[in-house]
Amino acid sequence: MHSYIPQKMQAARGFTLLELLVVMVIIGLLAAYVGPKYFSQVGRSEIRMAQSQIDSLEKALHQYRLDMGSYPSTEHGLAALMSSPNNEPRWHGPYLSKTPPADPWGHPYVYKYPGDNTEFDLFSYGKDGQPGGDGEAADITNW
């Protein structure tokens, strides 16, 4: 026996090319609207993470100063928070649980003692890795 399917039902089985194109255009419009909002949130969260890391590094540097009497030199840098510079007996570190992190964009934080703006300067050059900039490329500092 051969089953008979009316012609109207056969046409209703799939989507037409036009219907698929309309759905794809709608999805594209939604992605164009939501995408920039999502990616701007990512940029802001990277900036907040850099500010938080700078705050943590600052606290470790203050603890170092309490033990040693001064902040590490620019030459010793943030590495002095992990290992004693010149086998100093007053060093009671490590002052961080792990090596100093890179900023959220993969660049090392810049440390300078004595600082130009505060007692010590600690900053990230931002997303572009260059001094200055606006938005996500702006410097993130401890001053």
Side-chain angles (χ1 to χ4, degrees):
M1 268 212 200
H2 199 274
S3 66
Y4 174 75
I5 300 173
Q7 205 168 16
K8 285 184 181 179
M9 289 188 79
Q10 284 180 342
R13 284 190 169 172
F15 295 105
T16 66
L17 181 59
L18 182 60
E19 291 169 328
L20 289 174
L21 287 174
V22 167
V23 169
M24 290 178 65
V25 166
I26 290 171
I27 291 172
L29 289 172
L30 287 171
Y33 178 72
V34 173
K37 291 187 183 300
Y38 170 75
F39 288 113
S40 72
Q41 290 292 344
V42 170
R44 281 194 291 256
S45 67
E46 288 172 331
I47 291 168
R48 283 193 298 271
M49 176 175 269
Q51 290 167 334
S52 176
Q53 288 175 337
I54 286 173
D55 288 343
S56 295
L57 291 169
E58 262 190 310
K59 289 175 184 161
L61 286 162
H62 292 314
Q63 186 63 46
Y64 179 97
R65 185 184 61 78
L66 288 173
D67 288 347
M68 301 291 287
S70 70
Y71 293 105
S73 67
T74 301
E75 293 78 35
H76 288 123
L78 298 175
L81 299 173
M82 294 303 297
S83 61
S84 174
N86 305 323
N87 294 321
E88 177 63 47
R90 294 183 298 175
W91 190 84
H92 295 294
Y95 299 95
L96 295 171
S97 59
K98 50 188 170 181
T99 58
D103 70 14
W105 303 280
H107 307 116
Y109 285 99
V110 179
Y111 171 76
K112 184 177 177 187
Y113 177 77
D116 296 328
N117 301 286
T118 62
E119 203 166 2
F120 64 87
D121 291 348
L122 179 61
F123 56 96
S124 163
Y125 285 125
K127 187 174 185 173
D128 65 353
Q130 302 296 319
D134 294 319
E136 291 179 35
D139 299 348
I140 300 151
T141 67
N142 70 324
W143 62 88

